[in-house]
Amino acid sequence: MSSSAGDTQAIEHLKEAIAAGKHWYLALLEAIKLWTSPEEDYKGRHYRYLIDNEAFDWLVLAERLCEEVDGLIPENELIALLFFDRPPIELTKDEFRELVGKAKYQAYLNYLYGVLVEQILLLAIAEEVRKRKRALGLVKDGGVIDEAYRRIYGATQQELIARFRKEKHYPKRKSMSLTEVNEFTYWLFKQRLKGSDKSCVASDTQKALVKLHHYMGLKNHKVS
């Protein structure tokens, strides 16, 4: 069961809108606008939709809501959305913002820049490190990730994870769940904003956006 009246309203709206003939994707975005819980436990799984009360992972909520209308959504369209972030209907940024609401849209942008773009930045820097090593005749990739972390954040991955968990009062574990990885990435993003000058932050972000556009070449909408 959902933990708030807003969540219940969101689920009811989704079911009723689809039953009335509205396209499931539009109904889903409207339901997302109504949803209120930042996280919940449902069917043995913990869902966290809002990271650090700021960054909204809307596809996790989309997955959760779509479970409520299982069988009513074309499987190929659902897979394309949840696994490849390819919606069945292309909307403008303004249309998307209107459907999910201004607050959730802003939180989505926080997630976009603070998690997705930050992950792409790390990949871009790691690629630069790897190319430089190969240019020097070093074919092994050992240490590439840690060097990328040092270049961006000034410490190794494990050192940063230890600091993150200490700050968040999380227990030490050998592995990280996807939820914790995303939270860690958002924490890294905020550390970078605090520890770098504005021009460096802007340059790194632009580098990551260029790489993100490359990875999302099949998509036509512009990230902003």
Side-chain angles (χ1 to χ4, degrees):
M1 295 294 292
S2 295
S3 56
S4 78
D7 301 346
T8 301
Q9 184 183 5
I11 292 169
E12 289 176 351
H13 174 80
L14 178 61
K15 292 177 178 178
E16 291 171 0
I18 292 176
K22 176 166 284 190
H23 192 284
W24 70 267
Y25 181 61
L26 301 179
L28 173 65
L29 296 181
E30 291 172 346
I32 284 173
K33 184 177 184 178
L34 296 170
W35 188 273
T36 56
S37 294
E39 58 185 302
E40 67 169 337
D41 292 304
Y42 179 72
K43 290 186 177 180
R45 175 181 168 185
H46 183 74
Y47 291 83
R48 180 173 295 169
Y49 313 116
L50 197 61
I51 298 172
D52 211 21
N53 291 317
E54 295 175 352
F56 176 44
D57 188 349
W58 81 276
L59 285 176
V60 171
L61 179 53
E63 178 188 0
R64 162 69 177 90
L65 285 169
C66 286
E67 289 190 30
E68 298 287 345
V69 287
D70 186 36
L72 299 180
I73 299 173
E75 185 177 4
N76 62 323
E77 293 183 0
L78 184 60
I79 290 173
L81 177 66
L82 298 182
F83 290 93
F84 302 102
D85 193 15
R86 289 206 294 264
I89 299 175
E90 285 292 341
L91 302 173
T92 66
K93 290 175 290 184
D94 289 342
E95 289 170 336
F96 184 83
R97 180 173 58 240
E98 181 66 25
L99 286 164
V100 301
K102 291 182 180 179
K104 284 196 175 70
Y105 183 75
Q106 182 57 55
Y108 155 69
L109 291 182
N110 290 342
Y111 180 85
L112 177 65
Y113 283 99
V115 178
L116 296 183
V117 172
E118 200 70 13
Q119 289 171 341
I120 294 296
L121 173 62
L122 182 60
L123 290 175
I125 298 300
E127 188 175 308
E128 290 180 2
V129 172
R130 188 174 290 109
K131 286 181 178 178
R132 182 173 58 80
K133 284 195 168 192
R134 289 177 178 172
L136 294 172
L138 304 173
V139 295
K140 292 185 178 180
D141 285 344
V144 166
I145 295 299
D146 272 339
E147 187 170 340
Y149 272 97
R150 285 194 197 96
R151 280 183 55 179
I152 303 170
Y153 310 109
T156 67
Q157 182 185 42
Q158 288 304 313
E159 289 168 345
L160 290 161
I161 289 174
R163 283 164 49 187
F164 162 73
R165 285 176 167 164
K166 182 177 181 180
E167 184 177 308
K168 297 291 184 178
H169 305 291
Y170 290 163
K172 294 180 180 179
R173 289 189 291 265
K174 291 183 179 180
S175 61
M176 300 178 80
S177 67
L178 179 58
T179 297
E180 190 177 4
V181 167
N182 287 341
E183 189 178 359
F184 173 58
T185 303
Y186 193 66
W187 179 84
L188 289 173
F189 165 71
K190 296 175 81 170
Q191 297 300 307
R192 183 166 65 88
L193 292 186
K194 289 190 294 186
S196 303
D197 62 74
K198 290 183 179 180
S199 61
C200 183
V201 170
S203 175
D204 283 347
T205 300
Q206 183 59 34
K207 181 183 298 184
L209 285 172
V210 169
K211 184 66 68 174
L212 180 62
H213 281 301
H214 173 72
Y215 289 151
M216 300 174 70
L218 295 177
K219 300 192 70 175
N220 295 321
H221 71 269
K222 184 178 180 181
V223 176
S224 67

